[in-house]
Amino acid sequence: MCHNGRASGIHSHPPTSSSSEVLSDRQAQSLQALERQLTKVQLKTRLMGHDVRPTLRKVQEENLQQAQLMAKQAEQIMSVNADLQDTQKLLAALQSVSAKQFDVLLKVVKQQQQQKPKLQLVQSPIQDLQSATPQEA
């Protein structure tokens, strides 16, 4: 029994041991392949990240400039709105003053029109006297 190796146990492996070694070898090879792929992906990610960073910084700077510009425009809009409100108040006040002036003018014109017949009655005898006096001289 020593010649076939089974009795001594030196060169023999149980059948389950042999298939588990093969399975273990396959898993190790698969793990190594996955490790290589992972390394490649990590390298590509680093390279792409390195390539993308300047572009990303540029976009961030542009966004910051846009935000600053928009803030400045918002301030300008608020200022213009305040000026517009002030102008509207001024126009309303001017219209009010103009309306009051027009009312005063209208009253004066009405008073003059009402006094015109009275003046004509008063002025008529005076004119008659004035016109009669030069003729007698």
Side-chain angles (χ1 to χ4, degrees):
M1 282 189 159
C2 284
H3 293 289
N4 66 9
R6 284 189 183 178
S8 67
I10 297 174
H11 295 291
S12 70
H13 297 296
T16 56
S17 170
S18 168
S19 64
S20 60
E21 285 180 9
V22 170
L23 183 61
S24 177
D25 288 343
R26 287 182 184 166
Q27 287 178 348
Q29 290 173 353
S30 177
L31 184 60
Q32 288 175 350
L34 289 173
E35 285 177 351
R36 284 192 300 270
Q37 288 177 355
L38 180 62
T39 303
K40 288 179 184 179
V41 168
Q42 288 174 337
L43 180 62
K44 287 180 183 179
T45 303
R46 277 190 229 128
L47 290 174
M48 287 181 64
H50 182 69
D51 291 342
V52 171
R53 284 186 192 125
T55 305
L56 183 60
R57 283 189 196 115
K58 182 178 177 183
V59 169
Q60 288 173 338
E61 289 173 6
E62 289 174 357
N63 284 342
L64 180 62
Q65 290 174 354
Q66 290 276 336
Q68 291 171 345
L69 180 63
M70 288 178 69
K72 184 178 178 181
Q73 288 177 343
E75 289 176 11
Q76 290 175 343
I77 288 171
M78 288 174 38
S79 175
V80 167
N81 282 336
D83 289 347
L84 178 62
Q85 289 175 354
D86 291 344
T87 302
Q88 288 174 338
K89 289 177 185 177
L90 179 63
L91 284 175
L94 288 174
Q95 287 176 344
S96 175
V97 168
S98 295
K100 289 177 184 176
Q101 289 175 341
F102 183 75
D103 286 342
V104 169
L105 184 61
L106 188 61
K107 287 179 184 177
V108 168
V109 169
K110 284 183 181 180
Q111 287 176 353
Q112 285 180 349
Q113 286 179 349
Q114 289 173 354
Q115 290 178 359
K116 199 174 193 180
K118 291 178 186 176
L119 286 175
Q120 286 178 352
L121 289 176
V122 172
Q123 286 180 353
S124 186
I126 294 174
Q127 286 177 351
D128 288 343
L129 287 174
Q130 287 176 354
S131 56
T133 309
Q135 291 175 352
E136 292 176 6

